[in-house]
Amino acid sequence: MIFVTVGTQLPFDRLVRTVDTWATECGRNDIVAQTGPSKYVPKTLINSPFMKPATFDRHLSEADIIIAHAGMGSIIGALSMAKPIIVMPRQVALGEHRNDHQLATAERFRSRPGVYVVHDADALRSILSRLLELTGGAPIPTIASQELLQALRDFIADS
């Protein structure tokens, strides 16, 4: 199963439309999407604008592949479960966000095993044609390391 998530604040029709068109062409009916306030209505994707946290977590857990905007929650969720994630950052020039922080986020995670960054529909379609080649990295811890906690304690004590 493929799980698509674009967050809940803004539409991301470019990503949803590309995956939906690809799914229709390939005859895939195992793609679940959390589409947010999208204007585009998918023809093939099993979709919902919003999901309860338990439902979202279940789809994330059951997915073989995750496709998402460059939101930290989506990326960290995939990495903590060692799931391959295809990340398409929203772009302010295309009216998809208020600034380009998602471009910076995507670049920061690009070199991480299991994270595949695409910037346009053609690149997304290309990587979707190679789904069986995608692998996740080692799972990241879901709790902070003792070193990070100590650094935060030290920072707070010095403030």
Side-chain angles (χ1 to χ4, degrees):
M1 185 264 281
I2 297 172
F3 183 50
V4 178
T5 177
V6 300
T8 59
Q9 295 181 4
L10 299 167
F12 197 8
D13 293 343
R14 181 169 61 105
L15 185 149
V16 175
R17 181 182 298 108
T18 301
V19 176
D20 188 49
T21 302
W22 174 82
T24 302
E25 292 168 359
C26 295
R28 297 284 303 242
N29 61 0
D30 65 337
I31 303 175
V32 176
Q34 177 272 313
T35 58
S38 182
K39 295 177 182 94
Y40 175 79
V41 178
K43 297 168 186 62
T44 302
L45 307 181
I46 302 161
N47 67 91
S48 175
F50 308 100
M51 294 180 178
K52 293 181 179 179
T55 303
F56 183 93
D57 291 345
R58 180 173 46 83
H59 290 310
L60 199 66
S61 176
E62 292 174 358
D64 299 308
I65 304 280
I66 298 160
I67 303 170
H69 67 143
M72 288 302 298
S74 300
I75 295 170
I76 297 299
L79 290 174
S80 68
M81 294 182 188
K83 306 275 182 167
I85 182 169
I86 301 168
V87 175
M88 179 186 270
R90 298 171 186 268
Q91 296 179 34
V92 73
L94 300 175
E96 296 166 341
H97 219 310
R98 295 173 286 278
N99 60 47
D100 278 329
H101 72 277
Q102 287 201 357
L103 291 170
T105 299
E107 286 309 307
R108 172 66 181 90
F109 284 93
R110 175 185 290 282
S111 62
R112 182 126 192 140
V115 178
Y116 303 87
V117 177
V118 299
H119 291 282
D120 57 46
D122 289 340
L124 179 54
R125 290 177 65 81
S126 176
I127 201 163
L128 288 171
S129 71
R130 304 185 344 251
L131 280 182
L132 296 178
E133 300 171 20
L134 306 184
T135 59
I140 62 169
T142 57
I143 58 172
S145 68
Q146 289 302 313
E147 294 82 12
L148 175 60
L149 293 173
Q150 189 57 52
L152 290 171
R153 284 185 198 103
D154 293 346
F155 177 78
I156 291 168
D158 291 341
S159 296

